[in-house]
PDB file of all heavy atoms in Angstrom:
ATOM      1  N   ASP A 598     -67.344 -34.038  34.142  1.00  0.00           N
ATOM      2  CA  ASP A 598     -68.109 -32.956  34.640  1.00  0.00           C
ATOM      3  C   ASP A 598     -68.659 -33.272  36.137  1.00  0.00           C
ATOM      4  O   ASP A 598     -68.753 -34.379  36.449  1.00  0.00           O
ATOM      5  CB  ASP A 598     -69.339 -32.569  33.792  1.00  0.00           C
ATOM      6  CG  ASP A 598     -69.846 -31.081  34.092  1.00  0.00           C
ATOM      7  OD1 ASP A 598     -69.041 -30.203  34.565  1.00  0.00           O
ATOM      8  OD2 ASP A 598     -70.973 -30.806  33.828  1.00  0.00           O
ATOM      9  N   VAL A 599     -68.785 -32.143  36.907  1.00  0.00           N
ATOM     10  CA  VAL A 599     -69.308 -32.216  38.204  1.00  0.00           C
ATOM     11  C   VAL A 599     -70.265 -31.053  38.411  1.00  0.00           C
ATOM     12  O   VAL A 599     -70.055 -29.896  38.009  1.00  0.00           O
ATOM     13  CB  VAL A 599     -68.146 -32.026  39.258  1.00  0.00           C
ATOM     14  CG1 VAL A 599     -68.606 -31.988  40.616  1.00  0.00           C
ATOM     15  CG2 VAL A 599     -67.213 -33.204  39.175  1.00  0.00           C
ATOM     16  N   HIS A 600     -71.416 -31.357  39.116  1.00  0.00           N
ATOM     17  CA  HIS A 600     -72.237 -30.423  39.490  1.00  0.00           C
ATOM     18  C   HIS A 600     -72.588 -30.696  40.988  1.00  0.00           C
ATOM     19  O   HIS A 600     -72.749 -31.757  41.363  1.00  0.00           O
ATOM     20  CB  HIS A 600     -73.511 -30.245  38.761  1.00  0.00           C
ATOM     21  CG  HIS A 600     -73.329 -29.529  37.452  1.00  0.00           C
ATOM     22  ND1 HIS A 600     -73.722 -28.243  37.258  1.00  0.00           N
ATOM     23  CD2 HIS A 600     -72.699 -29.958  36.253  1.00  0.00           C
ATOM     24  CE1 HIS A 600     -73.356 -27.938  35.929  1.00  0.00           C
ATOM     25  NE2 HIS A 600     -72.838 -28.966  35.382  1.00  0.00           N
ATOM     26  N   SER A 625     -77.297 -24.013  33.325  1.00  0.00           N
ATOM     27  CA  SER A 625     -78.356 -24.594  32.456  1.00  0.00           C
ATOM     28  C   SER A 625     -79.182 -25.588  33.412  1.00  0.00           C
ATOM     29  O   SER A 625     -79.322 -25.318  34.634  1.00  0.00           O
ATOM     30  CB  SER A 625     -77.582 -25.507  31.437  1.00  0.00           C
ATOM     31  OG  SER A 625     -76.927 -26.418  32.011  1.00  0.00           O
ATOM     32  N   ALA A 627     -78.126 -28.320  34.406  1.00  0.00           N
ATOM     33  CA  ALA A 627     -77.061 -28.983  35.149  1.00  0.00           C
ATOM     34  C   ALA A 627     -77.087 -30.466  34.991  1.00  0.00           C
ATOM     35  O   ALA A 627     -76.759 -31.256  35.870  1.00  0.00           O
ATOM     36  CB  ALA A 627     -77.244 -28.647  36.672  1.00  0.00           C
ATOM     37  N   ASP A 628     -77.392 -30.921  33.677  1.00  0.00           N
ATOM     38  CA  ASP A 628     -77.353 -32.331  33.357  1.00  0.00           C
ATOM     39  C   ASP A 628     -75.949 -32.737  33.315  1.00  0.00           C
ATOM     40  O   ASP A 628     -75.357 -32.668  32.137  1.00  0.00           O
ATOM     41  CB  ASP A 628     -78.176 -32.654  32.074  1.00  0.00           C
ATOM     42  CG  ASP A 628     -78.334 -34.158  31.859  1.00  0.00           C
ATOM     43  OD1 ASP A 628     -77.394 -34.878  32.287  1.00  0.00           O
ATOM     44  OD2 ASP A 628     -79.413 -34.517  31.409  1.00  0.00           O
ATOM     45  N   VAL A 629     -75.326 -33.133  34.282  1.00  0.00           N
ATOM     46  CA  VAL A 629     -73.969 -33.518  34.347  1.00  0.00           C
ATOM     47  C   VAL A 629     -73.474 -34.585  33.292  1.00  0.00           C
ATOM     48  O   VAL A 629     -72.415 -34.407  32.719  1.00  0.00           O
ATOM     49  CB  VAL A 629     -73.552 -33.867  35.882  1.00  0.00           C
ATOM     50  CG1 VAL A 629     -74.268 -35.070  36.337  1.00  0.00           C
ATOM     51  CG2 VAL A 629     -72.072 -33.857  36.152  1.00  0.00           C
ATOM     52  N   HIS A 632     -73.347 -33.094  29.880  1.00  0.00           N
ATOM     53  CA  HIS A 632     -72.306 -32.162  29.750  1.00  0.00           C
ATOM     54  C   HIS A 632     -70.932 -32.962  29.392  1.00  0.00           C
ATOM     55  O   HIS A 632     -70.209 -32.588  28.632  1.00  0.00           O
ATOM     56  CB  HIS A 632     -72.144 -31.277  31.008  1.00  0.00           C
ATOM     57  CG  HIS A 632     -73.212 -30.454  31.193  1.00  0.00           C
ATOM     58  ND1 HIS A 632     -73.245 -29.504  32.245  1.00  0.00           N
ATOM     59  CD2 HIS A 632     -74.419 -30.141  30.502  1.00  0.00           C
ATOM     60  CE1 HIS A 632     -74.405 -28.765  32.248  1.00  0.00           C
ATOM     61  NE2 HIS A 632     -75.130 -29.198  31.164  1.00  0.00           N
ATOM     62  N   ILE A 647     -67.333 -27.561  26.095  1.00  0.00           N
ATOM     63  CA  ILE A 647     -68.744 -26.908  26.161  1.00  0.00           C
ATOM     64  C   ILE A 647     -68.800 -25.574  26.523  1.00  0.00           C
ATOM     65  O   ILE A 647     -69.674 -24.834  26.166  1.00  0.00           O
ATOM     66  CB  ILE A 647     -69.487 -27.972  27.099  1.00  0.00           C
ATOM     67  CG1 ILE A 647     -71.007 -27.595  27.083  1.00  0.00           C
ATOM     68  CG2 ILE A 647     -68.983 -27.706  28.615  1.00  0.00           C
ATOM     69  CD1 ILE A 647     -71.800 -28.800  27.925  1.00  0.00           C
TER      70      ILE A 647
HETATM   71 MG1   MG B2080     -71.525 -28.872  33.594  1.00  0.00          MG
END
Side-chain angles (χ1 to χ4, degrees):
D598 196 25
V599 172
H600 282 259
S625 65
D628 190 326
V629 65
H632 295 182
I647 191 168

